[in-house]
Amino acid sequence: MTKRKPLSTVVAESLAEKIRSGRLQPGAQLPTEAELCAEYDVSRTVVREAVARLRSEGMVVPQQGRGMFVSETPVPRNFSIPDEALRTLPETIALLELRLSVEVESAGLCAERRTDKEARDIRAMMEQVDAQQADPDAVQIHYDYDFHLAIAKAARNEFIHGFLAYLGPMIVPRFQLGYVVEPALKDSYYARIHNEHQAIVDAIERQDGRSARQAMRKHLHNSLGRVRALARASGVEATDAEQKAAAASLFTKMKRPESTGG
């Protein structure tokens, strides 16, 4: 006899297929628990287990007080990540958390201190980066890092710019964007990133430090969410110990400048 699938698996697979086929679009809200119970003729427990499975796979994300929504960039179902890339996931998460703490303020300072020419140059950089829209399998996940460096430079704090430039060689060569973006969602992904960049640049042009900080926080927080979803789906989500080890590994690569004496 063929073993029947658990009801929660049946519901999860059905919802996953709706997401992959586009019947549930990125950003769309899932039906309520009551609606799903009625549609599939199952209990709330079954629905909750099915939704929890989709969440663990990075296909849906919660919004506090609003419900569950289809992820803007669901992790591809069938992906193959080299071992060396998998090992970088905890470090990548640690680096993104570090970037959040530095670049949010960098964007605010840039908005408050930039020159008119710098604002024009930052917009030109954004348009150049966002116009490329390369195949996700052929571009690094942090393909927009030069745009972030341009913002940091206009923040008028050499420590911020110098620190982020120093991190660059460790941040950029991570893994391909294709690991977190379905090919069918490439255009919508690039459009969403452009909108996030646009919000940052608009605030910088208005010299609105508060809005620039908020826009940068949203942009990097979304990036962090995508990488965490990839880590969960890959079974390598960092524990506290792994996160500490990743941070320790990163800082061993940061050599102190040699004393010149005097």
Side-chain angles (χ1 to χ4, degrees):
M1 293 179 62
T2 302
K3 186 176 180 180
R4 295 179 60 185
K5 293 181 181 179
L7 288 175
S8 60
T9 299
V10 173
V11 174
E13 289 179 349
S14 175
L15 290 172
E17 180 55 34
K18 288 182 180 181
I19 291 171
R20 294 190 186 98
S21 67
R23 282 180 287 167
L24 280 173
Q25 291 284 325
Q29 186 173 10
L30 286 189
T32 65
E33 282 188 0
E35 289 169 338
L36 290 173
C37 287
E39 178 180 353
Y40 292 101
D41 192 22
V42 295
S43 67
R44 286 182 180 267
T45 299
V46 169
V47 167
R48 288 169 186 167
E49 289 175 355
V51 172
R53 175 173 171 175
L54 295 179
R55 183 179 178 183
S56 72
E57 293 178 358
M59 299 190 76
V60 300
V61 292
Q63 291 188 16
Q64 188 170 6
R66 298 186 61 198
M68 283 288 179
F69 290 76
V70 178
S71 173
E72 296 283 357
T73 53
V75 175
R77 182 179 186 182
N78 297 315
F79 55 82
S80 176
I81 305 177
D83 288 344
E84 60 270 21
L86 282 173
R87 286 193 294 269
T88 71
L89 278 170
E91 285 189 2
T92 302
I93 292 171
L95 281 166
L96 277 167
E97 290 174 346
L98 178 60
R99 286 181 63 185
L100 256 169
S101 65
V102 176
E103 291 199 54
V104 168
E105 186 61 17
S106 171
L109 292 175
C110 174
E112 294 159 3
R113 299 174 178 177
R114 56 71 176 172
T115 65
D116 290 344
K117 181 180 184 305
E118 286 168 335
R120 290 194 298 270
D121 289 346
I122 289 169
R123 177 168 288 280
M125 171 71 75
M126 175 194 69
E127 298 294 354
Q128 178 185 352
V129 168
D130 288 352
Q132 295 172 7
Q133 299 197 5
D135 178 354
D137 288 335
V139 66
Q140 299 292 327
I141 192 169
H142 301 301
Y143 68 89
D144 61 348
Y145 200 62
D146 285 343
F147 167 69
H148 287 261
L149 284 178
I151 291 172
K153 188 171 183 179
R156 294 285 185 281
N157 185 312
E158 289 302 318
F159 289 103
I160 290 176
H161 179 258
F163 181 59
L164 292 176
Y166 186 63
L167 289 180
M170 285 178 273
I171 288 175
V172 176
R174 289 279 133 182
F175 43 85
Q176 273 68 40
L177 184 63
Y179 297 149
V180 296
V181 179
E182 289 271 17
L185 297 176
K186 176 177 80 75
D187 291 341
S188 63
Y189 172 82
Y190 280 122
R192 189 163 72 88
I193 296 301
H194 177 65
N195 288 338
E196 292 176 6
H197 287 167
Q198 182 82 37
I200 297 168
V201 173
D202 286 350
I204 288 172
E205 290 178 338
R206 296 195 309 270
Q207 296 186 297
D208 185 342
R210 180 181 178 184
S211 293
R213 290 177 177 91
Q214 291 175 338
M216 181 64 81
R217 181 180 292 106
K218 178 180 179 181
H219 176 50
L220 290 178
H221 190 270
N222 286 344
S223 296
L224 183 58
R226 287 187 287 271
V227 177
R228 282 177 170 160
L230 176 62
R232 286 194 299 270
S234 306
V236 294
E237 186 172 18
T239 63
D240 289 344
E242 289 167 337
Q243 194 77 11
K244 289 177 182 177
S249 173
L250 285 170
F251 278 101
T252 60
K253 301 171 186 176
M254 299 181 186
K255 296 180 180 179
R256 293 178 179 272
E258 294 182 3
S259 173
T260 57

